[in-house]
Amino acid sequence: MKMNTTTVKTPNRIEPADLASAKQPRAVWAVAFACVISFMGLGLVDPILPAISHQLNATPSQTSLLFSSYNLVTGIAMLATGFISSRMGVKWTMMTGTLLIIAFALLGGMSGSIGELVGYRAGWGLGNALFIATALSAIVGLSTRGSAKAVIMYEAALGLGISVGPLLGGELGSISWRGPFIGVGALMLIAFISIGVLMPKVPRQANRTSLADPFKALRHPGLLVLAVTAFLYNFGFFTLMAYTPFVMDLDEHGLGYVFFGWGILLAVTSVFVAPRLQKRFGSIRSMSVALLLFALALLVMGIWTSSQTTVIVSVIVAGAFLGTNNTLITTAVMEAAPVERSTASAAYSFVRFIGGALAPWLAGKLAEWYNPHMPFYVGAAFVVVAVLTVLLGRRFLSHVDAASGH
């Protein structure tokens, strides 16, 4: 099956029943399954962050570098994913990324110091970049149901992976903090086999992507606005992911259940709520409200940091706002600029992952420099600025909502 790598003007309306009614090729389901396992890696370490900090004699800010190194390498490597995939082909790029994830996840499980573990997470980030950049374009290109429906499927895989990841991390982490790393390595091996068997060989695109293409794509104001928005709200996102485990005072099982609830709400809203909001109010308005509510959740956590119940409830509820925003912004990115989807995804991901690299380290340091409340206040402020960025740049995104009548 030939993969469509060119930008096609498809309707930007996303329907909430798409996932249940879609009859997708087996290759799409194989990639989606691999995405679920890959995205487990994002939330997998949340339940074991305090255990890693304790057993490897690391401070919270040092432990948060597990997110920073992962996101930094992922973001930088995103710039080269189009260059690589246009020469290796989508299938082999994905399989190479999967092999790297397997190798570095297993190595991470055998680490003897926080420095080694941070380094292996960086290698994991390289594999992650090769995988997720091509996975989104593969699902969109191989889908027989249109780009908007394919994006919902991708976001559903993301939500499922993020929700199951902490649960698995909590269960395996209660045995040893090394368990989750080894578990992901084993699961990604299954994903590697499923992609190899079920995914057809996709013809390489006619025009090879250059290393400069993602930077050129950011010249389009609409894509730049969305990328900067994601950069800013990632400060809130990774404050929640990397810092809250240290203030909830829960064991591995408890943290796993909290982030499982968070991920379930993220998955449900990304698949069922976001499409309805987009249909009724448009992407830009819905995105702005979702981000404002997320900023409010962070503010509540900042004010009542010492209340375990308040922080737990706020973390879980925040999943609903993040799930809604994720689907809306990812769908908008696919239509924001007249460039190939893989190039748009690489450019956008590069900018947002840089924010994801800075945020975890900053959250830990703010707690050390000031007090436990400060990371939440700063995270909320960044998310509010993200909302202002969307609203000020909405004239560059008018075409995103035009197809859905807003």
Side-chain angles (χ1 to χ4, degrees), residues 12 14 136 151 155 222-234 274 278 283-284 286-287 291 322-336 348 352 386 390 397 400:
N12 193 42
I14 44 182
L136 176 56
V151 168
E155 290 296 336
L223 183 60
L224 181 60
V225 166
L226 294 174
V228 172
T229 299
F231 171 88
L232 293 166
Y233 96 76
N234 259 359
Q278 192 243 21
S283 295
I284 307 309
S286 301
M287 195 186 308
L291 288 175
L322 290 168
T324 300
N325 180 71
N326 283 351
T327 292
L328 293 170
I329 198 168
T330 304
T331 306
V333 165
M334 294 294 100
E335 308 292 339
Y348 161 77
R352 74 183 175 103
V390 172
L397 299 169
V400 171

Side-chain angles (χ1 to χ4, degrees), residues 5-9 213-214 216-220 223 333-345 347:
T5 57
T6 58
T7 300
V8 179
K9 294 299 180 182
D213 284 349
K216 293 177 181 177
L218 289 172
R219 295 176 183 174
H220 296 281
L223 183 60
V333 165
M334 294 294 100
E335 308 292 339
V339 298
E340 293 176 354
R341 295 187 184 101
S342 58
T343 300
S345 177

Side-chain angles (χ1 to χ4, degrees), residues 206-272:
N207 299 319
R208 291 189 174 185
T209 302
S210 73
L211 292 173
D213 284 349
F215 293 105
K216 293 177 181 177
L218 289 172
R219 295 176 183 174
H220 296 281
L223 183 60
L224 181 60
V225 166
L226 294 174
V228 172
T229 299
F231 171 88
L232 293 166
Y233 96 76
N234 259 359
F235 277 84
F237 182 92
F238 282 100
T239 295
L240 184 148
M241 291 286 287
Y243 179 65
T244 55
F246 291 103
V247 300
M248 282 191 278
D249 193 27
L250 295 171
D251 62 12
E252 291 86 351
H253 280 111
L255 289 171
Y257 293 141
V258 170
F259 280 99
F260 174 68
W262 170 82
I264 287 294
L265 277 185
L266 187 148
V268 169
T269 54
S270 67
V271 176
F272 299 105

Side-chain angles (χ1 to χ4, degrees), residues 1 23-32 142 194 197-200:
M1 182 179 291
K23 295 181 179 179
Q24 300 283 11
R26 287 189 303 168
V28 174
W29 289 106
V31 176
L142 291 169
S194 67
V197 172
L198 297 177
M199 186 174 176

Side-chain angles (χ1 to χ4, degrees), residues 392-405:
L392 291 174
R394 66 186 306 167
R395 67 183 183 276
F396 302 118
L397 299 169
S398 58
H399 62 289
V400 171
D401 278 335
S404 57

Side-chain angles (χ1 to χ4, degrees), residues 17 42 58 121 179 181 218 228-230 316:
L42 185 62
R121 279 284 284 181
F181 291 92
L218 289 172
V228 172
T229 299
I316 294 173

Side-chain angles (χ1 to χ4, degrees), residues 186-204:
L187 288 172
M188 283 304 290
L189 179 59
I190 299 173
F192 176 81
I193 295 171
S194 67
I195 293 173
V197 172
L198 297 177
M199 186 174 176
K201 183 178 180 181
V202 180
R204 298 175 188 176

